Structure formats: C-alpha cells, structure tokens
Amino acid sequence: MAPKPMLASGRPSSEHSDERAEAEEDALLTGERTETYAAGRNNKYGWGFWREVGLFVWALIATVAVIVVAVLYQHQTAAHRNQDDGAFSPPSGKRNMIFMVSDGMGPTSLSLTRSFRQFQSGLPAEDVLVLDQHLIGSSRTRSTSSLITDSAAGATAFSCGFKSYNGAISVLPDHSPCGTVLEAAKKAGYMTGLVVTTRITDATPACFAAHVNTRDQEDRIAEQEVGEYPLGRVVDLMLGGGRCHFLPNTTDGSCRHDDKDVVALAKNKGFSYVDDRSGFDGLDGGNAVSLPLLGLFARTDIPYEVDRRNQNDIYPSLDEMARTALTALTKATKDSDKGFFLMIEGSRIDHAGHSNDPVAQVHEVLAYDKAFSSVLDFIEGSDTAAALVSTSDHETGGLATAKQLHITYPEYVWYPGVLANASHSAEKLSGDLNNYSGKENIKTYIRDTLLGDGLGVHDATDDEIESLVSQRELRPWTFSDIISRRAQVGWSTHGHSAVDVNIYGSGSSGRNTTLQLAGNHENTEIGDFIGTYLELDVESVTKELLEKGTQFDTLGSDGKKVSGSWMGRLPEPGELLDDFDHYHGDFRRHKH
C-alpha cells in the first residue's frame, strides 16, 4: 500500500484555513456552533490537543517539584546551620555570658597592632592576633543624636538594646530608664560582674548598672553601682579604677563634689573592699574572693599598659582582673543552676585614640587581645556552656596606617619599628615634663630623657622642643604627633568617628551561638543577643524601674532627700553632651 500523504490524516489543509477561521469567528460572535465546528468537533481531542495537555501537565509537575525541592533544601540548610554553624538557639541549662568591649578600637587598630607585633617579635606576615581568628561580623554605631556616637549611647545600645542620645547612661531619649541585661541577669538568678581599666563610673560600666541623664554625674553613678537606687544592689563584682568618686571630698584623693562616703555605703551593703595591689593579690586569683566585691586600684584610670607594666607592683593588668573575676564568679555559681554575666572592657584603647598616641594604642590592644585569649581558655576549660562576644562601642581617632607628610605624592609606607623604640606613652612623658623640677636645662631634659629615652626619637627639631616647652596644655598631643609623624601613622580627629566596628565571637560545647551576629548589625542587636542567650526579661526590669523610681529618694550625705530625679539633672537644651567623652587622662580632668 502506498504511504499516505502527510495531510491525509483528516487534518484540514491550509487551503481551508480561511474558511474555518471565518466560521470560528462567526461562532464567537453569535454564540452558535457552526457546521464546521460540529464537523471538526471529533478532531478536538486529536494529537494537537493532547500535546497541549501534556505540556501543561509537565509544566505543573515541574513547578511543584521545584517548589518541593526548594522547601526541602531550605529546611536542610537551616538544620545544617543549626547543627554546625550555631544558628541562634540558647543552650538549655546553666550558661555563662562574657561580653567584652574594646572601647574606641576600630578595624585599623587591629592592622596597626598586628604589624607592630609582627615587627617587634620577628613574626611572619601570616601570624595574627587571637582576635583576628574570631572575627565574625561588624556593627553600626550611630546614636539617636548623631551619626557619631559617644561611649554612653554606644554602651546603652549594648545594655538596653535601644538607641539613645550621646551622653545617656541607660536612659532613652524621653529620659525614662531602660532596664539593662546585667540588671535582668541578676533578677533571673545569675551572678554579675564588671571589669574595666578606666574608672568604674565611666560610661561603659555605668550603662550596665546605673541610670543617669548625663554621663558626667559620676558621683551619682558610684552610688547607684553599689545599690543606692530603685533596684538595690545588682552587681556582685567590680574591678577597675575610679576610687576618687567613692571617697568623701574631705578625704585626700577624692574627686567627689560632696562628703558622701560611698566606700562606707558599699560596705554597709555587704561589699568587701580592696584598693591596692596587695589587696588584689590577696584575692588569690579569685579563689579567695568574698562577694560582693568592690576593687578600686587607681584614683582615676589605671595607667596605659605600656606604662603599667613598669608599675606592676601597684596596678593589676586587665588580664589579671579578668581571670580573677572569671574564677570568682565560677566558684560563686558552682552549686547554682544559673551561671554568670561578666562585662570586661579594655577601656583605654579609647583614651589612646583621643590622645592620638600610637604607642599607647598598640600596647592597649595587645593587652585586650591577651585578656580575650584568657577568656577563650576559660570557656574551653569549663563544663558550663558559655558565649563570648567582643565588640567596640565606636572607633576613636580616625586612625590610619598611613600619613602624608608633604604635598608631594606619598610613599606607601608606615614604620612599626618607630613604635617599637618607644617605652612610654605621651601621657606619661607629658606628666613627667609637667612635674620636672631638676637642675638640668629643660630643653636638654626633653631632648635626651623624654624624647631620646622615652620615645626613642633622636632627631627632634628645635620647633618641636620649643613647642613642648612653651605650650603646656598641648604637650600630650605634641609628644603623640612627634612619634606619629615618624611612624607615619595618621589621625583625623581627637574625637570619635562613625566607622563600623568589628564583632568577635566564640562559644563552647562545640556550638558557636555567636554566629547569630555574623554579618553587619546595628549595635542594639548585640544587646538583644545577650538578652536572648541568657533568656532574660529586660522589659520587666524597665517596668520595675519606672514603678519604683517614682518612690525612690536620693539622699545626701546628711541623710536628707536630694531634690530632683534619682537619675540626676536633665541636659540643657543644646548642651553638648559628648563633650564628656573627651580624653580624661592625667593632663585633663583627673589626676592619679
């Protein structure tokens, strides 16, 4: 049999297509079926129709399959993250939270210190700081009043989980108090501690255990930190400086504006008290601590590490205080189903930035890195689940590892060896110069002893020497500029900058829950993380502060009520509150 032509299947040929189209159009317009439609009805379910049905079914099945695969993939990815990468879910049972603050340390501080350490110790380029090995993210730092935050607003974001104005100590822009994670931790049964190298009444530690409208009210902060405020005592351990704010102004070494004895007040509330190196050594690394403990080891700030190391018989280091606190709090919670919350601050990185002092800066960062390492060792050796989060409240100084000295195009260099030759901070050298009463010609003393022996600078110009002699108030900055120019380290400000700061984290029990903070975050999210990790009810603390605050009376040294809010004075309209964040070293507002 001869093969049929391709169009012999009954399918209408192209010569009839126009007629069919006209018939179909008539049917659409009249609603009546045509003979052509009726005749072709039997062909509706032919090969073409079933081809279309098949394509539709295939597309539908494929779409459903893609959706199912996507859902399964997302579920498996989330499960994988939860198991291996520490997607955030608080551990069950007892746990510890250590929060570290590198006040004023920006990303360039790490670059500066890393290269300095490599040069000084002859290390290879791939040798990095302990902090570098635990970098997980970064934080945005603006406050409600400025793109550039101060330490008070920055720490309020950590402690309360809310943004506020520069100068606010755990109060909101409407001047109402906000509960802190430390207060909530204490209410939940955790032990609590604060360790700093500046005054314990300074902005960062204050924001965890006090509430005042302006950060300059350090006398009031001291009272609140020992429990003289609506919630009573919430801190179990405090180690740092700032003794002058706890002593009555009738006592030598006081900087209070009244004669209230806050040390005596603390003792009446059960605190044990130590105020010197001998007393610190008597704590036996935390094994002989009686809580609550107040340890104040300097009149104001503990000296920079580059200077403190030569006065180790007087001042404990950040690392020593951190390890002592960890041991003491561990012993205190040994038989408890709750752990502890501890805030540790490398406070004076910020001061080095304010002073634009690269020598002080690198040694402060190294001291902080050492303390960070000790906390890691503690966590790894502990049977209790723990999280370690470290970040900065802001960057200080606008630091750059480069400095253009002339109008001509610069070389791509900076010289860590210049910093390695220095043995003292600009603060220490300016203090020595201010107190100099020797018989040697002062310019010779500056050139040979302060610059030559202290900074390792032997090519000072006559103008630099004359500036140190004649401009007393600028001496700290002059010493800093002399060393910065020779190291070719740049600074853009004596204040803070708006740069994002690093977040570091680690966790125990094979699960790094701090990876919840991976990526870029608002600084308030760090406070949220702490509260969630410890399963705290911070909101209830805020309500308690609001309720009890209306009935709380702040008393003077005579036992009479002090007028005004327990949170102190309100800022004046237009008052520059971040002015209080200017450098507080010996040569400015305080003396040791």
Side-chain angles (χ1 to χ4, degrees):
M1 180 182 294
K4 292 183 179 180
M6 292 182 64
L7 296 178
S9 62
R11 189 175 140 187
S13 66
S14 59
E15 64 187 57
H16 300 295
S17 61
D18 289 341
E19 295 178 7
R20 185 170 61 122
E22 290 176 4
E24 290 175 350
E25 184 177 356
D26 289 340
L28 288 171
L29 292 173
T30 63
E32 297 179 0
R33 290 188 295 179
T34 64
E35 292 182 4
T36 303
Y37 173 85
R41 188 173 183 275
N42 292 332
N43 294 329
K44 178 179 179 181
Y45 299 106
W47 180 87
F49 173 81
W50 289 114
R51 177 176 176 275
E52 295 297 326
V53 170
L55 288 173
F56 173 77
V57 172
W58 179 87
L60 181 63
I61 293 173
T63 301
V64 171
V66 168
I67 292 173
V68 170
V69 170
V71 170
L72 289 174
Y73 175 78
Q74 185 178 28
H75 177 75
Q76 292 173 354
T77 300
H80 178 74
R81 269 201 318 267
N82 187 60
Q83 180 179 356
D84 298 331
D85 296 332
F88 190 51
S89 59
S92 59
K94 186 175 180 179
R95 72 204 75 159
N96 300 322
M97 176 75 216
I98 301 99
F99 178 50
M100 297 186 68
V101 180
S102 46
D103 197 317
M105 186 178 80
T108 309
S109 298
L110 276 295
S111 300
L112 183 84
T113 305
R114 187 187 309 115
S115 296
F116 168 80
R117 177 174 171 271
Q118 290 168 354
F119 176 89
Q120 187 181 51
S121 302
L123 300 171
E126 60 269 19
D127 190 281
V128 297
L129 301 172
V130 177
L131 283 163
D132 290 322
Q133 302 168 46
H134 295 273
L135 176 66
I136 58 174
S138 61
S139 168
R140 307 186 293 275
T141 63
R142 67 170 296 168
S143 68
T144 61
S145 61
S146 176
L147 288 172
I148 301 178
T149 189
D150 81 327
S151 294
T156 295
F158 300 148
S159 64
C160 292
F162 290 104
K163 298 277 189 179
S164 196
Y165 59 89
N166 287 359
I169 300 294
S170 290
V171 299
L172 300 178
D174 65 358
H175 303 294
S176 64
C178 53
T180 75
V181 290
L182 184 145
E183 292 166 334
K186 185 62 178 175
K187 294 289 183 181
Y190 292 89
M191 299 296 281
T192 62
L194 300 170
V195 173
V196 301
T197 53
T198 186
R199 305 172 311 286
I200 200 72
T201 53
D202 202 10
T204 302
C207 282
F208 288 87
H211 305 268
V212 294
N213 290 305
T214 59
R215 60 174 292 174
D216 63 324
Q217 301 180 78
E218 294 190 46
D219 291 354
R220 190 179 295 257
I221 290 169
E223 299 168 31
Q224 293 189 18
E225 286 180 332
V226 301
E228 194 70 5
Y229 84 128
L231 297 184
R233 182 182 65 79
V234 295
V235 191
D236 295 300
L237 177 146
M238 287 182 279
L239 301 177
R243 187 168 57 240
C244 70
H245 288 289
F246 291 77
L247 302 176
N249 62 7
T250 55
T251 303
D252 184 38
S254 173
C255 60
R256 286 188 66 88
H257 294 96
D258 60 28
D259 61 354
K260 184 177 289 189
D261 189 341
V262 183
V263 170
L265 180 64
K267 290 180 178 179
N268 289 337
K269 292 180 179 293
F271 278 91
S272 55
Y273 176 64
V274 291
D275 63 356
D276 56 20
R277 181 73 205 211
S278 176
F280 178 80
D281 291 342
L283 301 176
D284 188 25
N287 290 299
V289 168
S290 176
L291 297 178
L293 170 67
L294 175 63
L296 304 174
F297 307 110
R299 182 179 179 273
T300 57
D301 306 321
I302 293 175
Y304 286 124
E305 179 62 21
V306 67
D307 303 317
R308 188 213 63 82
R309 62 186 182 176
N310 298 316
Q311 305 172 75
N312 193 52
D313 59 330
I314 302 176
Y315 305 102
S317 67
L318 176 65
D319 181 57
E320 289 177 297
M321 291 191 291
R323 287 188 284 110
T324 296
L326 290 168
T327 299
L329 293 173
T330 298
K331 290 177 65 67
T333 57
K334 180 180 179 182
D335 299 320
S336 172
D337 61 351
K338 298 285 188 179
F340 60 80
F341 169 76
L342 175 62
M343 193 284 292
I344 303 170
E345 182 189 34
S347 318
R348 303 212 64 196
I349 301 171
D350 173 65
H351 291 182
H354 280 298
S355 191
N356 289 181
D357 186 347
V359 176
Q361 176 93 175
V362 294
H363 288 279
E364 287 302 299
V365 174
L366 286 174
Y368 184 82
D369 192 61
K370 183 177 182 180
F372 183 88
S373 179
S374 291
V375 175
L376 287 175
D377 291 342
F378 166 80
I379 290 176
E380 291 171 3
S382 175
D383 294 329
T384 302
L388 165 61
V389 174
S390 168
T391 192
S392 304
D393 45 0
H394 54 76
E395 191 273 347
T396 304
L399 174 63
T401 46
K403 185 176 181 66
Q404 183 159 338
L405 301 176
H406 310 288
I407 62 172
T408 55
Y409 196 80
E411 294 183 75
Y412 295 160
V413 295
W414 86 271
Y415 301 105
V418 174
L419 306 185
N421 291 333
S423 56
H424 292 294
S425 69
E427 174 186 287
K428 174 68 165 57
L429 296 174
S430 62
D432 289 348
L433 180 54
N434 291 345
N435 297 324
Y436 180 68
S437 59
K439 296 181 180 180
E440 184 181 24
N441 178 277
I442 191 169
K443 290 187 177 182
T444 302
Y445 173 69
I446 291 172
R447 189 181 299 275
D448 295 345
T449 302
L450 299 182
L451 293 176
D453 297 339
L455 280 188
V457 172
H458 301 280
D459 61 348
T461 66
D462 291 340
D463 287 343
E464 288 172 329
I465 300 295
E466 181 57 36
S467 178
L468 287 169
V469 172
S470 61
Q471 301 184 59
R472 182 185 178 94
E473 285 297 312
L474 298 181
R475 284 172 177 172
W477 288 277
T478 303
F479 278 113
S480 292
D481 184 65
I482 288 172
I483 193 73
S484 292
R485 290 177 66 83
R486 285 159 176 79
Q488 290 191 218
V489 172
W491 307 87
S492 64
T493 179
H494 283 290
H496 299 171
S497 74
V499 69
D500 289 359
V501 294
N502 292 344
I503 301 174
Y504 305 90
S506 185
S508 62
S509 304
R511 293 180 60 243
N512 185 3
T513 54
T514 65
L515 286 177
Q516 173 71 11
L517 295 172
N520 185 258
H521 298 268
E522 283 292 343
N523 51 8
T524 53
E525 295 179 63
I526 297 171
D528 293 340
F529 173 86
I530 296 171
T532 305
Y533 181 84
L534 295 178
E535 296 183 288
L536 304 177
D537 186 358
V538 180
E539 185 178 352
S540 69
V541 176
T542 300
K543 292 179 179 177
E544 185 176 352
L545 284 166
L546 291 170
E547 293 170 0
K548 292 184 175 180
T550 60
Q551 305 169 11
F552 184 83
D553 293 330
T554 298
L555 304 179
S557 58
D558 58 0
K560 296 181 179 180
K561 179 180 176 180
V562 177
S563 62
S565 167
W566 63 274
M567 294 184 293
R569 70 175 183 86
L570 292 174
E572 298 292 333
E575 182 176 353
L576 183 63
L577 294 176
D578 54 6
D579 181 62
F580 301 127
D581 208 29
H582 289 176
Y583 184 70
H584 298 307
D586 283 358
F587 56 89
R588 294 292 286 173
R589 298 177 55 201
H590 298 276
K591 294 182 180 179
H592 286 286

